[in-house]
Amino acid sequence: MVNNLKNDLLIRAAFSQATERPPVWMMRQAGRFMKEYWDIKNKYSFLEMCKTPEIAADVTMLPIDLLGVDAAILFSDILVTAEAMGGDLSFEQGVGPRFSNPIRSKQDAANLSTDCLDKLQYVGDAIRVIKQRLDQQVPLIGFAGAPFTILSYLVEGGSSKDFKLTKTLLNNQPELAHSILQKIADVTVAYLNMQIEAGVNAVQLFDSWALALSWNDYKEFSHQYNNYIISRLNRKDVPVISFCKGSSVFAPLMAETKPDVISVDWNADLLHIKQGLPKGIAVQGNLDPFVLYADKPVIKKKILDLFERMRGEEGFIFNLGHGIMPDIPFDNVKYAVELIKEYRY
Ligand code: 1CP
């Protein structure tokens, strides 16, 4: 494989090649559990941080400099595509993301733009600054939200506990749902290919809330769009990671979309999932992030148990089953990363 990375553990594992230990990075590693994040966040709004390449680069670099993880993930958010399409997005402290113009009618859907890549150029600019800062130390992961998860925010107008409005839309007006999902899928293809063009070394598709769906609804409203996206990426030597909460159940369908890696939530036995996948698909995961609240001997045992379980398997990337919570002690995260970096197969 041709890359100039000084540390390419993540890329090798993603392509199911042998590594001397599992590579480690953590979803939401560039975030609120770090004091240094708040030092920056207290000066700017979240969207200002995303849209100012130098600041996005500063935040992206925090977990590289302070934790020493094996990959950087672009500092941004999955909802920037929805904003570029016309969603009026804000992030309120303690409330989370909000769209003041939720999409509920045919007219709302018709108003969504797909010709909006120019509005996302700041992400390409951020990637170029980050790549310079990284100087090939570790790979940079780009990402986007998957259509169903983005749809849920657009329809609900923000986060949701039960996805009631989204599911009612899927049930009562499936054609309207499909028209929105298709628009999001088209924007996502262009957006991820722009990130690849700008220099990311891997991409992850986040379908965080897929677990809300039944098997049949997942197939109809999530899977086919993820397949549409993944099959249109200019992958070259850029591995594609497919993540959803619900991957314990949906992994066989996710595999049909031919990602290089499936990122698995914490419910399933990771070895069992891996052995059920076609050869050549790697797994990422799957420590319960709540373990990182525990005492260090417990953290150690749970990580080593996972590694023992996965021993001998090529194509394993350590990660959490979902993102780090903001109040997890930094010291525990650092401990986990150091433990993993000392481990040898
Ligand atoms: O107030 C603040 O300081 C902003 C908090 C914050 C941060 C640090 C948000 C708002 N987004 C982010 C960064 C972010 N979001 C990254 C950066 C890279 C990283 O460190 O991993 C990434 C990859 C995301 C992706 C994201 N945003 C997802 C998918 C991943 C997941 O955890 O499932 C989702 C669902 C979002 C929506 C979102 N944006 C922000 C919040 C607090 C949320 C979640 C709200 C909810 O639970 O519905």
Side-chain angles (χ1 to χ4, degrees):
M1 194 198 349
V2 201
N3 70 52
N4 298 320
L5 293 162
K6 291 168 198 155
N7 170 349
D8 69 350
L9 277 178
L10 177 107
I11 305 296
R12 278 191 277 141
F15 285 131
S16 294
Q17 296 165 0
T19 53
E20 49 277 26
R21 64 167 171 87
V24 49
W25 72 280
M26 297 190 201
M27 287 185 267
R28 297 290 183 94
Q29 68 186 18
R32 293 167 289 176
F33 74 103
M34 283 184 284
K35 179 194 161 292
E36 291 77 2
Y37 173 83
W38 287 107
D39 293 343
I40 301 173
K41 177 67 205 292
N42 288 335
K43 289 190 240 156
Y44 309 96
S45 76
F46 176 67
L47 279 173
E48 269 176 311
M49 290 165 70
C50 295
K51 292 182 180 182
T52 314
E54 291 293 334
I55 302 175
D58 288 345
V59 185
T60 301
M61 292 304 291
L62 290 176
I64 306 306
D65 297 338
L66 302 173
L67 291 170
V69 283
D70 294 309
I73 178 158
L74 166 71
F75 184 75
S76 185
D77 197 79
I78 60 165
L79 297 175
V80 297
T81 43
E83 186 193 44
M85 293 174 76
D88 179 25
L89 174 65
S90 60
F91 288 89
E92 289 162 38
Q93 198 71 58
V95 183
R98 281 239 159 279
F99 286 102
S100 69
N101 56 346
I103 306 301
R104 310 254 167 93
S105 68
K106 277 192 183 145
Q107 190 53 53
D108 295 336
N111 289 343
L112 287 173
S113 157
T114 49
D115 186 18
C116 57
L117 202 57
D118 53 330
K119 295 210 178 86
L120 293 162
Q121 284 310 319
Y122 64 86
V123 177
D125 295 340
I127 290 167
R128 285 180 280 272
V129 176
I130 297 164
K131 287 283 292 180
Q132 274 185 348
R133 296 262 193 104
L134 277 172
D135 192 25
Q136 307 286 356
Q137 273 180 78
V138 292
L140 174 63
I141 302 169
F143 68 92
F148 169 71
T149 292
I150 298 297
L151 173 81
S152 79
Y153 283 99
L154 279 172
V155 171
E156 306 283 341
S159 305
S160 172
K161 280 196 288 290
D162 55 13
F163 305 95
K164 188 159 75 184
L165 295 169
T166 312
K167 289 191 182 190
T168 304
L169 176 80
L170 305 187
N171 285 322
N172 284 346
Q173 297 173 277
E175 310 79 26
L176 179 55
H178 281 301
S179 74
I180 306 170
L181 289 163
Q182 186 59 53
K183 283 185 159 188
I184 302 169
D186 283 324
V187 169
T188 308
V189 170
Y191 179 55
L192 285 175
N193 281 331
M194 181 270 271
Q195 292 187 29
I196 293 172
E197 185 67 35
V200 297
N201 304 100
V203 291
Q204 178 155 325
L205 191 62
F206 283 94
D207 203 359
S208 302
W209 309 130
L211 87 167
L213 295 172
S214 69
W215 182 266
N216 284 340
D217 284 347
Y218 177 78
K219 273 206 301 223
E220 180 174 350
F221 297 106
S222 170
H223 173 59
Q224 64 158 318
Y225 295 100
N226 296 347
N227 192 35
Y228 179 91
I229 293 167
I230 293 173
S231 65
R232 283 166 177 74
L233 296 180
N234 303 327
R235 295 158 81 155
K236 296 172 290 186
D237 51 357
V238 174
V240 175
I241 309 170
S242 181
F243 165 76
C244 76
K245 273 191 84 188
S247 44
S248 298
V249 178
F250 297 132
L253 288 173
M254 293 167 83
E256 289 176 8
T257 69
K258 300 193 170 58
D260 299 289
V261 185
I262 292 178
S263 189
V264 182
D265 59 48
W266 64 85
N267 300 98
D269 171 28
L270 194 59
L271 182 63
H272 181 78
I273 294 279
K274 175 94 169 72
Q275 289 176 339
L277 293 173
K279 221 175 149 7
I281 297 189
V283 288
Q284 171 175 280
N286 77 338
L287 190 76
D288 178 351
F290 284 83
V291 169
L292 295 177
Y293 287 114
D295 297 331
K296 288 191 177 122
V298 179
I299 296 175
K300 180 173 182 176
K301 178 172 186 317
K302 302 260 178 176
I303 291 175
L304 293 183
D305 283 352
L306 174 63
F307 286 5
E308 283 311 305
R309 188 83 183 126
M310 296 305 289
R311 187 185 279 278
E313 290 294 317
E314 282 169 6
F316 166 45
I317 299 165
F318 174 88
N319 207 310
L320 306 173
H322 197 196
I324 303 181
M325 280 74 76
D327 59 346
I328 284 181
F330 176 83
D331 197 39
N332 287 2
V333 182
K334 177 130 182 109
Y335 174 77
V337 173
E338 278 166 5
L339 180 82
I340 295 166
K341 290 180 75 175
E342 278 163 20
Y343 184 84
R344 288 294 174 276
Y345 282 125

